[in-house]
Amino acid sequence: MKISVIGCGYLGAVHAATLASMGHTVVGIDVDPAKVEQLGRGVPPFHEPGLDELLRDGRSSGRLRFSTDAADAKDAQVHFLCVGTPQDKTSDAADLTFLVSAARTLLPHLAAGAVVVGKSTVPVGTVEMLRGVLARRPDVLLGWNPEFLRQGTAVKDSLVPDRLVYGVDGGRGAAFNPSTGAPLGVAAALDAVYEPLLRAGIPRLVCNFATAELIKSAANAYLATKVSFINAVAELCDASGADVGELSEAMGLDPRIGNRYLHAGLGFGGGCLPKDIRSFRSQAAGHGVTAVEDWMGLVDEVNLGQRSRTVDLAAELCGGTLAGRSVTVLGASFKPDTDDIRDSPALDVADRLAAAGAHVTVTDPKAVNQAWRRYPRLRFETSTGRALEGAELVLLLTEWDEYRQLSPSVAGGLVRRRVVLDARNVLDADAWRAGGWVVRGLGTNAGMPTGGAASATTAPATDRVPASRAR
């Protein structure tokens, strides 16, 4: 099939590349000439494992190209709207400006019988608004096909998704021929797009527009609830002497609960989950559903509170004040395997530490170039070893494998004080303590030696580095 993808940011670039890998002829349309030029060379403008190979394959096969001219989409049979829907600058609601603009730009170039399919995460009721934009073209079909990509695994999520969801006018009852059961209209077009996935047994769910619009936000709201729940429990564990790691392991063995997203730590960030739960809250408020509105508000509050807790623990580990302390932060991206720093908990905490007077050095395997311009009072290093030199406190804030696998002895030879705050609860605390480190986590300190926090205020002489290496 000939397919266009409108918007070549994170979602659009991955979607265009994966569709081309399925054998379709795809054109990606974006208003940013620099992004289009880079994608056209087969180089992704952001870090996502596996995407560079797909872009190169699509380019070499001739099935994938990119353009700034919407007219290049005129021959496509299916058009996917993949533009961003960021949080509105003045409220919790989603900003649909880019989505509406994309639909209007595409309108003059739609062939008769074309199918326009939204993939962006949107509030319920968006399809009705877009129906108004497309009202002059009754020969064009409109559908919704929400995305469920996770940064760091987006290529896999596209090629081997958990499910496909089609939102169609009239819902499932209107999507199939009542006599033959054959798909009709939007459902038929999407079946053709995803034929390799359907043949591989990927589940397909067909529903009405409202359900398709709500499903991504509802799924993200549930995941955010699990994260914030276990983080709230972690605070209770710290207050009571329990260990949240052991507690969550026991909870996760209950098949009604499961262990995914039940890992306590610094909390979530990024360009999707925070804004999606706020949009969900705004939608609930608009429909008078106060239970969901209040619930999402509490989830957001607990999540942001983890950042304050981390800063407070860092001050405690520095003897009560961060002023003048040399602090190293491991991680800048909001999660591992991406260079995305949007609403990064790691950078938020690092900036708060600097605001409290600490001398903060941040390192990250991929995100340093994205971060240094936006956080001028932070110092950045691409080398983990250089970042650790002379540190009086180390904070692990993004759980890259590189940091999980750090040697306590090697790291101990670089720092000034062997004190680490593992805000992601991923280090082998026993191994690090055996290496002479004071280790703190969030909700995992039941096994910490009595006086562990206090003992961190003065480093043993063996933890000192030569003055020439101290910062």
Side-chain angles (χ1 to χ4, degrees):
M1 295 182 74
K2 294 182 177 180
I3 298 172
S4 84
V5 174
I6 313 301
C8 296
Y10 188 86
L11 166 61
V14 173
H15 192 54
T18 53
L19 289 176
S21 76
M22 294 178 196
H24 300 296
T25 300
V26 184
V27 57
I29 306 294
D30 199 279
V31 297
D32 184 342
K35 184 190 299 180
V36 165
E37 189 274 334
Q38 190 171 347
L39 287 167
R41 287 188 287 112
V43 180
F46 49 83
H47 175 69
E48 179 60 37
L51 179 58
D52 50 352
E53 292 94 335
L54 284 186
L55 288 173
R56 287 196 299 267
D57 289 348
R59 181 172 180 257
S60 63
S61 69
R63 290 193 299 267
L64 178 62
R65 65 189 180 96
F66 295 90
S67 173
T68 57
D69 188 353
D72 287 340
K74 66 180 187 304
D75 295 328
Q77 298 155 276
V78 179
H79 305 265
F80 286 97
L81 301 178
C82 296
V83 297
T85 53
Q87 184 175 332
D88 187 82
K89 290 182 173 61
T90 60
S91 72
D92 285 346
D95 181 355
L96 301 178
T97 303
F98 303 112
L99 185 64
V100 172
S101 176
R104 286 175 175 159
T105 300
L106 186 61
L107 188 60
H109 309 295
L110 294 172
V115 180
V116 176
V117 182
K119 283 199 75 68
S120 307
T121 303
V122 296
V124 65
T126 299
V127 173
E128 292 307 315
M129 181 178 62
L130 290 181
R131 217 198 290 260
V133 174
L134 300 174
R136 291 188 289 122
R137 293 296 306 275
D139 58 326
V140 171
L141 299 177
L142 181 61
W144 214 261
N145 173 220
E147 57 89 8
F148 301 99
L149 304 188
R150 298 166 296 171
Q151 287 179 254
T153 60
V155 171
K156 175 180 176 293
D157 293 341
S158 295
L159 294 174
V160 192
D162 295 323
R163 72 286 205 196
L164 297 167
V165 175
Y166 303 170
V168 303
D169 196 9
R172 181 172 180 81
F176 301 95
N177 185 305
S179 301
T180 65
L184 302 170
V186 171
L190 289 175
D191 274 2
V193 170
Y194 295 121
E195 190 271 336
L197 304 184
L198 295 171
R199 192 172 63 247
I202 302 301
R204 178 196 63 181
L205 308 174
V206 181
C207 55
N208 64 18
F209 284 141
T211 305
E213 290 167 319
L214 277 173
I215 192 167
K216 174 66 181 296
S217 295
N220 276 354
Y222 182 73
L223 297 178
T225 296
K226 289 190 74 172
V227 173
S228 284
F229 173 80
I230 201 63
N231 282 340
V233 171
E235 187 171 4
L236 178 59
C237 287
D238 274 338
S240 64
D243 186 299
V244 75
E246 296 170 353
L247 184 148
S248 62
E249 181 181 6
M251 288 179 61
L253 292 173
D254 186 329
R256 298 170 301 172
I257 298 172
N259 58 11
R260 298 191 67 185
Y261 288 82
L262 207 63
H263 183 88
L266 181 55
F268 56 81
C272 293
L273 209 56
K275 66 101 174 173
D276 286 351
I277 66 168
R278 291 164 193 158
S279 173
F280 199 56
R281 184 186 185 194
S282 177
Q283 294 173 64
H287 286 82
V289 184
T290 57
V292 174
E293 179 188 5
D294 294 344
W295 190 348
M296 289 300 100
L298 181 58
V299 167
D300 201 13
E301 180 184 336
V302 170
N303 184 58
L304 295 175
Q306 289 299 94
R307 305 178 188 187
S308 299
R309 284 190 67 211
T310 300
V311 173
D312 291 344
L313 275 173
E316 178 187 323
L317 290 167
C318 287
T321 180
L322 289 159
R325 294 290 196 169
S326 293
V327 177
T328 294
V329 168
L330 303 179
S333 58
F334 85 93
K335 64 180 287 189
D337 296 318
T338 180
D339 59 357
D340 195 341
I341 63 169
R342 289 176 294 174
D343 197 10
S344 165
L347 287 172
D348 188 9
V349 168
D351 202 45
R352 295 189 197 195
L353 296 173
H359 304 299
V360 183
T361 299
V362 180
T363 186
D364 189 279
K366 294 293 181 181
V368 166
N369 289 338
Q370 302 285 350
W372 72 270
R373 291 185 184 90
R374 300 190 195 180
Y375 293 86
R377 61 182 167 190
L378 303 178
R379 177 176 175 269
F380 290 90
E381 282 280 6
T382 55
S383 164
T384 303
R386 287 197 300 269
L388 287 170
E389 289 180 356
E392 298 173 82
L393 173 65
V394 177
L395 291 89
L396 196 164
L397 301 186
T398 308
E399 63 274 33
W400 287 91
D401 282 344
E402 176 180 332
Y403 305 144
R404 291 172 180 261
Q405 296 165 9
L406 270 176
S407 163
S409 60
V410 172
L414 297 171
V415 299
R416 186 180 303 171
R417 297 168 69 243
R418 296 186 184 188
V419 187
V420 61
L421 173 50
D422 177 14
R424 293 297 182 180
N425 293 336
V426 294
L427 296 179
D428 183 341
D430 290 339
W432 281 73
R433 287 177 182 135
W437 286 77
V438 171
V439 182
R440 288 293 301 268
L442 299 178
T444 63
N445 300 305
M448 188 180 71
T450 303
S455 67
T457 61
T458 304
T462 54
D463 287 349
R464 301 287 180 181
V465 297
S468 62
R469 294 173 64 190
R471 297 194 186 275

